[in-house]
Amino acid sequence: NYPNPFNPNTKISWQSPVDSWQILMVYDVLGNEVATLVDEYKPAGSYSVDFNNVETLHATSLPSGVYFYRLQAGDYFETRKMILLR
């Protein structure tokens, strides 16, 4: 994600080399699900999502702290850390 740390906007970007069902979720430091940013089938390509402009959540409503986002694309999984600073 960029920028990291962020307040309150950050963009999460990724590339998928194959067509697959893609899920991008955000968790707090305790492992609680904060938001589902993407949950749909996507063709191969480059994608990005603005964390603060998601229909179900605005980062402005979250407290400062460490958050994790997890991307699942087919059999591929990756988890990364992001920091929200107020």
Side-chain angles (χ1 to χ4, degrees), residues 11-81:
K11 183 177 282 195
I12 300 172
S13 302
W14 71 97
Q15 295 180 343
S16 177
V18 296
D19 299 357
S20 64
W21 194 270
Q22 299 183 21
I23 302 170
L24 179 61
M25 300 178 81
V26 177
Y27 299 90
D28 65 16
V29 73
L30 298 175
N32 300 312
E33 181 182 330
V34 173
T36 299
L37 306 179
V38 176
D39 187 3
E40 61 188 72
Y41 186 86
K42 291 185 173 282
S46 297
Y47 299 97
S48 67
V49 64
D50 290 324
F51 180 46
N52 195 40
N53 295 326
V54 178
E55 295 175 11
T56 59
L57 172 85
H58 292 283
T60 54
S61 66
L62 295 174
S64 295
V66 175
Y67 294 88
F68 296 92
Y69 59 94
R70 181 175 189 250
L71 174 67
Q72 176 184 351
D75 294 333
Y76 175 80
F77 295 89
E78 184 163 352
T79 302
R80 296 233 175 139
K81 178 173 66 171

